[in-house]
Amino acid sequence: MMNPQGSVDYLARDGRAYVTLNRPEKRNAMSQHMWEQLMHAYDRAEDDDDVRVVVLSGAGDDFCAGHDLAEVGNQYGNGGTDENGHKRRPSQRARRQYDKTYSKARELLLLAEVWSAQEARENGLVNKVVPLGELHERGEEWAERIVRLPRDGIALGKAATNMAMQTLGVTSQFAYGPVLHTLATNMRWEPGEFNFMKERSVSGVRASTHQREAFYQTPRKQDS
C-alpha cells in the first residue's frame, strides 16, 4: 500500500548509496516523514565504510517540488486547548524546535521568483544542468570519479571544508535560522497582502499556489 506521506528509499552498492525520494504523485514534495527518513538515509551512508558517495534522486519525472505545502503551518503539532476549551496555536518553543532543520535563499524570499534549472545553475544553487535523457549517465560519471578516490581522503576533505566554512561563519545560519523562520511563520498580514495560509484553507494547496505566483508576477498598484 502506498504511503500518502511518501518514502525515501535506500540502496547501497558499488561504493554508492542511492537515495531516492519516492512520492512521484506529489512531485516528490517533502513531508516531515520523508525529511526524517532522508536524515536516516544520510546517517546510514555515513556509517557504512564502503559508501563513498551519495546519489540523491527523485522517483518519476520530477526531482523534488520542495516542502509539502499542505504541511506548512500544520507541521508544528497541536497546541492543545485553553481553560475555555478553545484550540491554542502551537507555542513558539514547539515551532522553533521544528524549524531547526531549515534555512532559505535570501533573494528567493524577497522576490518570490520561480527559477528555471538554468537560472538556478547561474546563481550557484546547482552545479550542472544536463538533458533529462542524460541525467542518469552523467550522475553515474560523477559518482564513479568520486568512488575511485581514497575513502579517508574524501572524509578528511569534507571535514576540512566544513571547518573552513565554520571559521568563515557560513554555518552560523543553522543557529539563528530556526529562530527567524519561527517568527516569520507567525507574522501578521496586512490588507492587500497575500496570505498563503488563509488562501490554502479556502482554496486548497494547488489553487492557492497558483494564486500566490500570479500575485507576485502581476504588477501591483502603488499605495497613494
Side-chain angles (χ1 to χ4, degrees):
M1 183 177 179
M2 183 178 297
N3 188 336
Q5 292 183 305
S7 64
V8 175
D9 302 333
Y10 183 93
L11 174 65
R13 69 166 186 243
D14 303 327
R16 304 157 169 81
Y18 294 95
V19 180
T20 306
L21 310 180
N22 193 355
R23 201 186 184 192
E25 71 282 3
K26 295 290 186 179
R27 295 188 175 183
N28 299 317
M30 293 292 291
S31 64
Q32 178 61 23
H33 174 71
M34 292 175 67
W35 277 113
E36 294 171 356
Q37 287 195 329
L38 181 61
M39 296 303 104
H40 179 64
Y42 287 153
D43 288 340
R44 288 183 63 182
E46 185 175 10
D47 292 339
D48 189 339
D49 198 44
D50 291 328
V51 170
R52 281 162 279 172
V53 61
V54 174
V55 180
L56 179 63
S57 61
D61 297 330
D62 304 283
F63 170 58
C64 179
H67 193 171
D68 183 357
L69 295 179
E71 289 189 350
V72 174
N74 298 323
Q75 72 272 36
Y76 300 106
N78 188 345
T81 56
D82 59 19
E83 62 275 10
N84 297 317
H86 299 143
K87 290 184 178 180
R88 297 189 305 175
R89 300 178 67 178
S91 68
Q92 296 286 43
R93 301 185 305 279
R95 298 166 74 90
R96 179 180 177 277
Q97 181 63 31
Y98 177 87
D99 288 335
K100 281 184 177 180
T101 57
Y102 299 97
S103 54
K104 307 293 184 181
R106 190 174 190 181
E107 182 176 342
L108 292 179
L109 274 177
L110 295 177
L111 301 182
E113 292 181 336
V114 178
W115 285 356
S116 66
Q118 187 64 33
E119 289 173 320
R121 188 194 67 81
E122 292 172 355
N123 286 276
L125 295 185
V126 298
N127 296 98
K128 187 179 291 294
V129 177
V130 301
L132 180 60
E134 301 176 14
L135 179 61
H136 178 74
E137 180 182 357
R138 300 290 286 275
E140 284 296 319
E141 289 178 358
W142 279 32
E144 180 62 26
R145 293 177 64 179
I146 295 174
V147 298
R148 292 187 180 186
L149 298 173
R151 303 181 190 185
D152 286 349
I154 296 174
L156 291 176
K158 291 175 64 178
T161 301
N162 290 338
M163 290 176 64
M165 289 193 296
Q166 289 173 358
T167 301
L168 295 172
V170 176
T171 57
S172 61
Q173 61 176 313
F174 299 112
Y176 59 73
V179 177
L180 299 181
H181 188 263
T182 302
L183 295 175
T185 56
N186 198 35
M187 64 186 178
R188 184 178 68 186
W189 298 87
E190 303 292 351
E193 297 177 345
F194 186 84
N195 186 334
F196 176 79
M197 305 296 184
K198 177 182 178 181
E199 295 300 328
R200 185 193 62 186
S201 65
V202 175
S203 307
V205 173
R206 181 183 296 273
S208 56
T209 300
H210 292 310
Q211 292 173 20
R212 180 187 61 182
E213 293 178 1
F215 181 88
Y216 290 112
Q217 292 173 2
T218 302
R220 314 299 299 177
K221 293 182 178 180
Q222 296 296 324
D223 294 335
S224 56

